[in-house]
Amino acid sequence: MTTPHELYELLKAYDPHVNESLIVAAYDFTVRAHGAQLRASGAPYYLHPLEVAKILIDYKLDVQSIITGLLHDTVEDTVATIEEITELFGPEVAALVEGVTKLSRLEIQSEHLKQAENLRKLVVAMSTDIRVLLVKLADRLHNMRTIQFVPLEKRMRIARETKEIYVPLAERIGMQNMKDELEDHAFSVLNPQAHESISQRLSHLYESNGTTVDTIIKDLLIVFNKESLPADINGRKKTPSSIWRKMQNKNIAFEQLADIMAFRIIVDTLAQCYEALGIIHSHYPVIPGRFKDFISTPKPNNYKSLHTVVIGPLNHRIEIQIRTRDMHMVNEYGVAAHWHYKQGGEASTDGRQYAWLRGLMDILEQTATPEEFLEHTKLEMFQDQVFCFTPKSDLIALPRGACVIDFAYALHSAIGNQTVSAKINGKLAPLRTILSNGDQIEIQTSKSQHPSPEWERFVITGKARAQIRRFIRQSKRQQFSELGKNLLMKCFRHEHVEYCEKTIQTAVEHYHFTCSEDLFVSIAEGYHAAKDVFLYCHPHTKPKATPTSDVPVIKKKSGDKVSLSINGLIPGMAIHMSGCCHPLPGDRIVGLIITGRGISIHTYDCDHLQDVDNADRLLDISWGHLSGPERAQHHYVGRIKVTFVNKPGSLASMTGAISKQAGNIMNLKVTNRTTDFWDLLVDVEVQDAQHLSHIIAALRTVPIMVSADRG
Ligand code: MN
């Protein structure tokens, strides 16, 4: 087992400023935290973080990353907290550990892996500091190295996740070695027979060709010596997974794979790369179509090399890769190499780290080929996105700042339109709640729910906004049209003339409308009087005196044949409850047509009605007969004027009395407060006038109450 001092020595080899006591402290912390926990293999758990730290040291990462590697499982799996880590190792390490912990939780949540691409984006988005991703990759690498101890089903899942999420990520940031090893472990789990068969044939090939490889290297070296070009040449083993991939892509047999034997020629300068290529091509027959110049056109992950296939020494088809030492470092270590390089060049510890991060940005900002999963995107772009889950762990990507309603509309417009409430990570949350990365959202819908115009104020996605507007526009039109038609039919009934669509059609043309709906809307909006339309249709009818010539005349019994019912009309669109008298179901009501806005509903004795000069604008309206659950869904606001004694607790006993009667207080307004009394206006959500009377009666029984009346 590696001791803390050995770990320190490994780290010191490339970072002489490293503080040994810090490494010892992190080592002790993780050993203590994991205590007697065991790995699936039966080994002490703390060996795992230790191995992860060593992998990170192999990549010559900075001391914060190494400490994060040591601590990475303590918050998720033990009683250790982020606060402790902040205190002992500083906020930077704490933020890194927190990042890795979040990624681990994400894996547990997203077992279905339906959207690997989105998950990869999520992993990148959550790795706000790229070191989080590097530690996570090292963690995954060690887990894959020891995966044989994990039960089969879980082993398959982890291998699939590795193949679909982490292998492409490692490749994307240019960590070739990491990618190769992860990919090969995953391949051996997912496809054990193929892996076994290719491995056997490979080792057979290398054994039987053991001398062949050496001979080829020797021959190549002789050629380069003769041309006086100093070069390092080595044979390179391919991994079974990369051979398997080639066999599948190119649909050829094992024996035909030219590049099972690959050789690397490493030179000092860029010019020497092309010189070396010239030497190879002039000494050996070239296989056409296999030459690639990744130096003039590097791969998106910054991979630079020349590739060619020739019939080389001993008449073997061989692949040759030519590159400089610097290119080789970047090719093998990817972003890690960037940090490694900058380290030598810059004195300040901060400077070198940021230079390294900038290096990563440069890599990621290069335009990607269509096959690349980060197609036409940059790391920063993901910072503008937030990734959330459905209860079934499907991933939904939304712009940052999106709320629950945006999420609901992203699922489906029908879901958005019927959203009632939502749970975020199992807790009930307001619909306007802004979502964060990794949130799991459960939307509750109801068929009777519909979008509220209010929603438009807090949604940020175009889809949600367009859907809400469309719904409101449509239902407004539908309501106005229904209301207008009702007004016109009422006129016909009043004159005892049978209503007939055909006659209406002549009026539609006369008023230059394209359809009868437009005519109805215009009547409801008050631009045309229903009576005028009726008279146009039946010019010879002498209109009866309007029954609503003054207020007393309209004091009819509700339920009268010619009264309009507001059944089914949603208040707030074509009809509005007036704010002056707060009419409630059960009250006798009158409608007042307001040009362009529809109808506002008043109680029949409302003072406002006295000022109305044109009796044609007044309508007899009834509440209709909502009942049962339909009734319960409609809420109206009633206003109560209360006066009570000013002493401690009196406000509480007043509100208590209201809530005991199932009244929901919408608004409280203090109109007067003296040393002796409170005067308040209370707006309460109620079902009807009777409900409000119950509340008022209950208020009157409260001992501190002086008076309670409808306001
Ligand atoms: Mn781990």
Side-chain angles (χ1 to χ4, degrees):
M1 191 184 112
T2 316
T3 66
H5 184 70
E6 282 163 356
L7 208 59
Y8 162 71
E9 289 292 333
L10 289 171
L11 189 50
K12 206 179 84 172
Y14 63 89
D15 186 354
H17 309 296
V18 65
N19 176 353
E20 183 172 2
S21 61
L22 206 58
I23 298 297
V24 174
Y27 187 102
D28 288 347
F29 188 90
T30 199
V31 169
R32 228 178 317 117
H34 289 294
Q37 281 177 1
L38 297 178
R39 296 272 288 169
S41 62
Y45 194 93
Y46 58 79
L47 292 180
H48 162 66
L50 203 55
E51 287 304 315
V52 171
K54 277 162 78 180
I55 292 171
L56 294 166
I57 287 176
D58 284 345
Y59 281 92
K60 297 188 167 53
L61 290 181
D62 64 347
V63 66
Q64 283 87 357
S65 306
I66 309 305
I67 293 176
T68 305
L70 285 171
L71 306 178
H72 80 272
D73 276 331
T74 55
V75 172
E76 183 67 4
D77 296 342
T78 79
V79 293
T81 64
I82 284 291
E83 289 71 32
E84 277 175 82
I85 290 174
T86 312
E87 202 176 302
L88 290 169
F89 304 100
E92 192 179 341
V93 168
L96 291 172
V97 172
E98 198 170 20
V100 180
T101 305
K102 272 188 179 171
L103 283 187
S104 308
R105 286 183 186 151
L106 173 75
E107 282 163 15
I108 297 162
Q109 198 166 34
S110 59
E111 289 202 2
H112 301 287
L113 279 182
K114 281 180 194 151
Q115 293 163 302
E117 173 169 326
N118 266 338
L119 269 176
R120 282 195 295 269
K121 287 180 184 171
L122 174 60
V123 170
V124 174
M126 287 174 79
S127 309
T128 39
D129 185 323
I130 198 70
R131 289 174 296 179
V132 169
L133 181 57
L134 295 175
V135 174
K136 188 65 218 171
L137 285 169
D139 173 40
R140 181 47 63 106
L141 183 59
H142 184 247
N143 285 337
M144 290 305 290
R145 282 178 183 170
T146 52
I147 194 134
Q148 69 270 27
F149 301 107
V150 173
L152 182 67
E153 204 175 305
K154 192 177 174 195
R155 201 190 313 161
M156 296 294 277
R157 172 177 75 76
I158 293 175
R160 257 197 315 276
E161 191 179 71
T162 300
K163 182 183 154 202
E164 292 175 27
I165 314 285
Y166 292 101
V167 167
L169 279 174
E171 181 172 33
R172 189 65 191 90
I173 58 177
M175 300 177 82
Q176 188 63 37
N177 282 339
M178 175 77 81
K179 180 225 156 199
D180 282 348
E181 196 183 337
L182 282 174
E183 189 177 42
D184 211 53
H185 286 305
F187 176 52
S188 75
V189 172
L190 296 171
N191 216 333
Q193 289 88 357
H195 187 270
E196 180 60 24
S197 139
I198 293 175
S199 302
Q200 274 180 9
R201 292 164 83 174
L202 267 181
S203 50
H204 173 75
L205 185 84
Y206 285 122
E207 266 165 41
S208 64
N209 287 342
T211 49
T212 318
V213 172
D214 289 344
T215 313
I216 292 174
I217 293 177
K218 218 180 285 166
D219 277 20
L220 289 173
L221 278 171
I222 290 168
V223 168
F224 274 79
N225 247 338
K226 207 164 65 188
E227 302 282 344
S228 332
L229 182 65
D232 286 348
I233 300 176
N234 48 59
R236 171 176 171 258
K237 271 194 186 179
K238 291 244 160 178
T239 60
S241 63
S242 69
I243 290 172
W244 175 249
R245 194 165 6 96
K246 283 214 161 94
M247 283 166 76
Q248 282 186 317
N249 289 348
K250 294 181 182 158
N251 202 15
I252 45 175
F254 188 79
E255 286 75 16
Q256 291 170 274
L257 281 173
D259 41 11
I260 286 171
M261 272 193 286
F263 295 84
R264 262 187 203 137
I265 298 175
I266 294 176
V267 292
D268 289 329
T269 68
L270 186 134
Q272 285 173 352
C273 290
Y274 291 97
E275 205 183 316
L277 180 75
I279 292 170
I280 293 291
H281 280 188
S282 57
H283 280 79
Y284 304 101
V286 179
I287 308 281
R290 296 294 307 272
F291 169 67
K292 286 181 195 124
D293 184 348
F294 292 120
I295 291 178
S296 66
T297 318
K299 286 187 185 179
N301 63 14
N302 224 21
Y303 177 92
K304 287 180 189 161
S305 185
L306 299 174
H307 290 190
T308 188
V309 177
V310 295
I311 299 178
L314 308 176
N315 278 335
H316 273 291
R317 280 162 62 116
I318 56 173
E319 188 193 64
I320 289 178
Q321 303 177 345
I322 304 166
R323 58 191 56 175
T324 66
R325 241 165 276 281
D326 287 358
M327 291 174 195
H328 185 61
M329 274 301 288
V330 175
N331 293 350
E332 298 294 301
Y333 287 89
V335 288
H338 277 254
W339 182 77
H340 186 48
Y341 273 143
K342 305 286 171 169
Q343 189 186 13
E346 284 169 48
S348 111
T349 43
D350 286 350
R352 72 184 181 199
Q353 187 192 312
Y354 289 123
W356 171 64
L357 284 173
R358 270 201 303 278
L360 172 78
M361 293 303 172
D362 289 346
I363 292 172
L364 290 175
E365 276 173 19
Q366 288 179 13
T367 43
T369 57
E371 306 90 75
E372 291 292 328
F373 79 88
L374 286 171
E375 190 185 358
H376 308 308
T377 56
K378 299 174 192 167
L379 183 66
E380 293 96 316
M381 271 196 70
F382 298 138
Q383 308 300 343
D384 299 337
Q385 278 181 286
V386 53
F387 297 83
C388 302
F389 294 96
T390 67
K392 286 183 181 163
S393 293
D394 284 335
L395 227 151
I396 306 289
L398 291 164
R400 190 162 285 281
C403 68
V404 173
I405 294 171
D406 289 302
F407 181 87
Y409 276 104
L411 295 178
H412 196 282
S413 11
I415 295 178
N417 282 339
Q418 298 179 353
T419 298
V420 183
S421 60
K423 281 184 180 173
I424 299 180
N425 305 322
K427 267 198 217 149
L428 212 57
L431 295 182
R432 61 166 66 201
T433 310
I434 290 172
L435 306 174
S436 356
N437 264 328
D439 278 348
Q440 189 176 49
I441 295 123
E442 189 184 339
I443 300 285
Q444 272 117 22
T445 60
S446 156
K447 286 228 162 62
S448 60
Q449 175 70 338
H450 41 76
S452 148
E454 280 238 308
W455 291 0
E456 219 192 300
R457 284 192 286 131
F458 41 87
V459 298
I460 65 157
T461 54
K463 185 178 179 191
R465 183 165 291 140
Q467 287 290 339
I468 294 167
R469 281 191 185 157
R470 192 167 145 236
F471 179 88
I472 287 168
R473 209 171 41 237
Q474 271 180 355
S475 39
K476 244 186 180 166
R477 183 176 162 81
Q478 197 189 336
Q479 292 204 355
F480 273 93
S481 157
E482 243 170 68
L483 181 63
K485 187 175 179 183
N486 281 331
L487 289 172
L488 192 57
M489 285 169 87
K490 185 190 153 195
C491 235
F492 275 75
R493 277 202 306 273
H494 184 70
E495 303 296 341
H496 302 290
V497 177
E498 202 179 327
Y499 177 84
C500 156
E501 292 282 350
K502 226 180 191 169
T503 353
I504 301 301
Q505 209 50 47
T506 62
V508 169
E509 278 156 35
H510 172 73
Y511 288 102
H512 304 290
F513 288 114
T514 46
C515 59
S516 50
E517 212 177 53
D518 288 347
L519 175 68
F520 299 148
V521 169
S522 141
I523 292 171
E525 286 182 330
Y527 292 114
H528 291 97
K531 200 168 73 181
D532 295 343
V533 177
F534 171 79
L535 282 175
Y536 175 80
C537 296
H538 297 280
H540 306 302
T541 320
K542 274 191 181 163
K544 288 184 184 173
T546 312
T548 54
S549 54
D550 56 23
V551 174
V553 183
I554 64 160
K555 285 184 184 174
K556 289 186 171 187
K557 281 178 190 156
S558 60
D560 175 277
K561 268 184 199 156
V562 292
S563 75
L564 261 184
S565 161
I566 59 169
N567 234 357
L569 295 176
I570 302 161
M573 289 189 179
I575 62 163
H576 312 269
M577 294 300 150
S578 82
C580 47
C581 51
H582 296 277
L584 294 173
D587 290 335
R588 290 179 62 185
I589 46 173
V590 174
L592 175 61
I593 298 182
I594 299 165
T595 311
R597 282 202 60 212
I599 295 175
S600 86
I601 308 288
H602 295 262
T603 55
Y604 84 105
D605 53 356
C606 177
D607 293 342
H608 267 80
L609 297 179
Q610 307 297 336
D611 306 333
V612 177
D613 41 14
N614 184 356
D616 282 347
R617 288 176 56 210
L618 291 171
L619 298 164
D620 190 21
I621 303 270
S622 72
W623 285 102
H625 302 283
L626 286 177
S627 60
E630 238 185 300
R631 171 74 165 269
Q633 274 157 19
H634 286 77
H635 287 285
Y636 301 89
V637 178
R639 177 167 284 185
I640 311 170
K641 219 160 83 185
V642 291
T643 303
F644 55 85
V645 178
N646 184 2
K647 66 175 193 183
S650 51
L651 188 64
S653 43
M654 189 275 295
T655 54
I658 293 174
S659 66
K660 268 191 199 132
Q661 297 298 320
N664 193 13
I665 296 178
M666 307 286 290
N667 201 4
L668 273 180
K669 192 177 169 197
V670 180
T671 48
N672 195 18
R673 189 187 169 207
T674 64
T675 46
D676 301 327
F677 299 106
W678 285 88
D679 287 320
L680 246 65
L681 284 176
V682 188
D683 289 344
V684 190
E685 207 175 45
V686 291
Q687 284 179 18
D688 52 26
Q690 204 183 15
H691 186 188
L692 189 65
S693 317
H694 287 318
I695 291 173
I696 290 171
L699 281 173
R700 286 176 179 156
T701 65
V702 178
I704 47 114
M705 197 59 58
V706 176
S707 68
D709 295 286
R710 241 181 116 166

